[in-house]
Amino acid sequence: MLRIEHLTKTYGGKKAVDDLSLHIAPGEIYGFIGHNGAGKTTTIKSCCGILQFDGGEITVDGISVRDNPIEVKRRIAYIPDNPDLYEFLSGIQYLNFIADIYQVPKAAREERIRRWSETFGLTADLAQPVSAYSHGMKQKLAVISALLHEPKLMILDEPFVGLDPVASHALKGVMRELCDRGGAIFFSSHVLEVVEKLCDKVAIIKSGRLIASGTTEEVRGDASLEDVFLELEEN
């Protein structure tokens, strides 16, 4: 579903991402961890076609991000760590705006908005302006908007930040459901316990380079993922 081959991105002569390769298959939830500045967000934005990259190739569902970014964006959903929403719109106006962009038919959008708004407890707030939303409510709105076109691949940067426990539990269920339908998830997180419990596979990045990857069991071995991460970071 997502193939990253020898990705390299340089800022001011320094490699933010250095020859990174990852393959994410349909049905997989893939966690991506590393300290601040390790290259996680640069990798994620490159996968979404937001950042140009210097070397390597990225494909989504067999389609090149470099050569056909619009077609890639039709198949993915991206949620940044701090979603930038149109705050002058109401919640329902924003969702309809996103549905218009992806040309989601009226009946389908209404059913999906109803379903996901109920799932994330946002139904009663959809008439309110986004400017009145808390950070957690904005995060929920961003998640709902990302689900409207039923993406094949969801790419999430710190998706659980700001979510209450009920919403976090709901998001985990949504992620697993998407993968059970043949989709895939690629997400970064500093919450290692969530990564350990939720992910089929995990990759650790340090100073732009991949230092460990594989199934969660392979990477953590007999220790916890937190212990492995801290040990690798110290070396």
Side-chain angles (χ1 to χ4, degrees):
M1 188 60 71
L2 174 64
R3 294 183 68 87
I4 306 171
E5 300 283 2
H6 305 292
L7 174 65
T8 300
K9 173 67 178 177
T10 302
Y11 292 108
K14 180 183 177 183
K15 288 183 177 179
V17 180
D18 187 1
D19 196 32
L20 186 145
S21 296
L22 278 178
H23 303 155
I24 302 173
E28 288 182 344
I29 299 179
Y30 211 121
F32 193 40
I33 60 178
H35 63 77
N36 292 335
K40 301 188 303 297
T41 297
T42 297
T43 300
I44 283 172
K45 287 185 174 180
S46 297
C47 291
C48 297
I50 296 170
L51 276 180
Q52 298 288 323
F53 45 94
D54 303 315
E57 179 64 281
I58 303 172
T59 59
V60 173
D61 202 22
I63 300 166
S64 169
V65 171
R66 192 193 297 273
D67 297 338
N68 201 345
I70 299 299
E71 187 58 39
V72 165
K73 288 171 185 177
R74 289 192 178 103
R75 295 164 187 253
I76 70 171
Y78 166 57
I79 303 179
D81 57 347
N82 190 20
D84 198 8
L85 310 177
Y86 294 122
E87 299 204 346
F88 59 89
L89 297 175
S90 67
I92 189 65
Q93 287 173 331
Y94 180 77
L95 293 177
N96 276 305
F97 169 68
I98 298 299
D100 285 342
I101 290 174
Y102 286 101
Q103 300 178 326
V104 181
K106 184 174 184 292
R109 77 171 64 182
E110 289 177 351
E111 189 279 327
R112 292 169 194 171
I113 288 172
R114 179 196 58 75
R115 177 188 178 191
W116 297 122
S117 297
E118 288 178 0
T119 297
F120 288 98
L122 205 62
T123 304
D125 301 295
L126 290 181
Q128 299 298 316
V130 175
S131 59
Y133 282 20
S134 67
H135 176 71
M137 291 165 69
K138 290 177 182 177
Q139 190 78 359
K140 292 177 185 180
L141 189 68
V143 171
I144 294 166
S145 70
L147 295 167
L148 293 181
H149 65 293
E150 296 192 333
K152 289 190 171 185
L153 172 68
M154 288 188 76
I155 301 177
L156 316 171
D157 199 354
E158 296 289 347
F160 298 101
V161 172
L163 291 182
D164 57 64
V166 173
S168 293
H169 179 74
L171 179 55
K172 294 170 192 174
V174 167
M175 293 165 74
R176 179 50 65 189
E177 182 181 326
L178 184 144
C179 289
D180 289 344
R181 296 199 311 265
I185 305 283
F186 182 46
F187 80 101
S188 75
S189 180
H190 285 119
V191 187
L192 300 186
E193 295 88 349
V194 170
V195 174
E196 188 165 8
K197 291 178 180 178
L198 186 62
C199 293
D200 305 300
K201 291 185 178 178
V202 63
I204 302 176
I205 186 174
K206 179 181 179 181
S207 301
R209 294 190 67 87
L210 193 69
I211 57 174
S213 65
T215 67
T216 307
E217 291 76 15
E218 288 170 347
V219 171
R220 76 183 180 198
D222 295 328
S224 71
L225 189 58
E226 182 178 34
D227 290 338
V228 173
F229 175 75
L230 293 173
E231 182 180 345
L232 289 170
E233 284 295 306
E234 289 170 0
N235 294 335

